Amino acid sequence: MQLQKIASKNIDQTGLMCYHKSNHKECARDKPVEHTATYLFDKVLMLETMDKYFEIKIHRCRWIFSFHSMAKKGEEIMKKIVTSESVNIGHPDKTCDVIADAFLDAALSQDPNAQMAVECAIKNNKLFVYGEATTTANVDYRKIATEVLSEIGYTQPFDIVLELSQQSPDINQAVVKQKLCANDQGIVFGYATNETKELMPLPILVAHKIMQRYEEYRKTTSVFFADAKCQVSVCYEDGKPSHFTTILVSASHAKEFDLVSAKIMQNVIFPTLEEYKQFVDTDDLKLIVNPSGKFTIWGSHGDSGCVGRKIVVDTYGGVAKVGGGCFSSKNATKVDRSGAYYARYVAKNLVANGLCDKCEIEVSYGIGLSEPLSLAIETFGTEKVSLDKIYEVVKDNFNFSPDNIIKELDLLRPIYKQTACYGHFGREQFPWERVIELKI
């Protein structure tokens, strides 16, 4: 009876009961702060016809009730569930990202000053390569693409079409000056949180690690293929990760193979969770493998792909903002990429040096300009010193000009293919993940 009572009412963020049951899209439009939670609650209740799964979801609605009732500290724990996803190299979008960054590395290995933005799109056995390249490097696009496709597991030949030109001279003259300038206007974000040792949000970090382990495992078998994706949901209590609630993996596999779930659990999910035992609550953990039933048509034969369609996967899994511009294919004068790397570098070092528990950096740039146009720092109330002091520390320790970013992080090297899958942040081999001692 109690479950039915909770399920029959909508709950807004002020803790009041609201009976606008079918009109909460309008409420969300007119009063977004008060009614965002109510709309989310309605979405959860849409699962009420799914038998036993309905009972689990109603239980989670009670969590949402606790989180959105504005409970005073000490009275109720505030809870929410955060979900992030990762995709493997055989996902068509990720395949294109990897190929594009392989082009970039090939150019930079011969010409560190190459201006590159060569992308691609894939469907079935066709690959369309297009974009701009101003470089002295001799890049064999067809050979590089064929090698990457072979690494992923494609065995059939591809029809590769090229449509390339040099970078617009209007853009080039705005960028290549005595000091390198921004290649375009753009807004970039960087984020860090101390909830993991990598200073990354837990959901996206674990999703990437599951995909990395899947890639290692599938190469040891003949029954799993490179196209896969993972989704990780984490319950947060009072802003800190408490436990996993759902882990979902979809993995491509051979026909007539019926041990998919068991093999993925045994060789991918469980080994990954060994590192995160403190977040495993067996009473409230749902593991889902291949909910579609089968996944035998994979990669470009099951879906099309192109560069830059996984920017949330590439960054913070939706926990922090993204600027909108993708990373892959772009050399370091493109601030969509280098500016976002530097913003992560700054945010991570502010957290690592104990100035705050969470930090989000926002920077904006203009084409042809040598300095950023704006800087904003958000610490979500976790700062250990005043925000004025944090701004002062940033000013004294960091320089957001594109020319400095490229030099300080040494971004003219061929290091980008390895960034294209499993996240651009949270992996120590990249220079923007380096922790330095700040002058405070």
Side-chain angles (χ1 to χ4, degrees), residues 70-277:
M70 302 299 285
K72 294 180 181 178
K73 196 170 183 178
E75 290 185 359
E76 284 191 77
I77 295 175
M78 299 176 71
K79 300 183 181 181
K80 67 174 179 177
I81 296 173
V82 176
T83 302
S84 299
E85 72 161 345
S86 180
V87 300
N88 200 41
I89 191 172
H91 185 289
D93 294 333
K94 266 290 148 242
T95 296
C96 290
D97 286 343
V98 173
I99 292 172
D101 276 338
F103 294 155
L104 175 59
D105 281 356
L108 292 175
S109 65
Q110 303 172 54
D111 175 15
N113 295 310
Q115 297 291 316
M116 297 289 292
V118 178
E119 304 180 5
C120 58
I122 193 170
K123 178 58 185 168
N124 293 331
N125 66 335
K126 290 184 173 60
L127 184 75
F128 182 40
V129 178
Y130 56 94
E132 300 81 44
T134 298
T135 177
T136 60
N138 181 19
V139 180
D140 191 336
Y141 295 100
R142 285 190 173 87
K143 180 181 178 182
I144 292 168
T146 300
E147 288 174 350
V148 173
L149 292 167
S150 178
E151 290 171 10
I152 290 170
Y154 289 100
T155 57
Q156 76 276 25
F158 267 72
D159 179 15
I160 300 176
V161 179
L162 303 183
E163 187 66 38
L164 302 170
S165 65
Q166 289 198 333
Q167 183 184 65
S168 163
D170 291 350
I171 296 174
N172 191 264
Q173 62 85 32
V175 173
V176 183
K177 301 178 180 178
Q178 187 173 0
K179 289 178 65 175
L180 287 173
C181 298
N183 186 274
D184 200 351
Q185 68 183 45
I187 308 160
V188 299
F189 292 89
Y191 181 79
T193 171
N194 64 4
E195 65 191 56
T196 62
K197 69 179 188 300
E198 294 88 350
L199 304 186
M200 285 288 289
L202 181 64
I204 188 65
L205 183 70
V206 175
H208 285 322
K209 289 192 175 184
I210 288 173
M211 282 292 89
Q212 286 175 295
R213 188 172 290 272
Y214 173 79
E215 177 66 3
E216 294 170 2
Y217 170 63
R218 71 99 182 170
K219 288 181 176 180
T220 69
T221 80
S222 60
V223 293
F224 287 105
F225 307 126
D227 193 356
K229 55 176 63 176
C230 173
Q231 197 166 272
V232 174
S233 299
V234 176
C235 177
Y236 281 71
E237 298 184 355
D238 289 337
K240 296 184 181 299
S242 169
H243 57 278
F244 300 112
T245 61
T246 305
I247 294 175
L248 185 155
V249 174
S250 291
S252 56
H253 60 89
K255 295 178 180 179
E256 310 304 327
F257 179 66
D258 58 2
L259 297 176
V260 174
S261 292
K263 292 295 186 182
I264 294 299
M265 297 270 195
Q266 179 183 357
N267 296 285
V268 178
I269 297 176
F270 294 156
T272 304
L273 293 184
E274 279 294 315
E275 185 181 352
Y276 300 97
K277 289 180 180 178

Side-chain angles (χ1 to χ4, degrees), residues 415-433:
I415 60 172
Y416 296 101
K417 182 185 174 186
Q418 61 186 316
T419 71
C421 203
Y422 316 118
H424 292 247
F425 307 121
R427 293 190 281 161
E428 297 302 318
Q429 68 262 42
F430 303 136
W432 49 90
E433 295 295 321

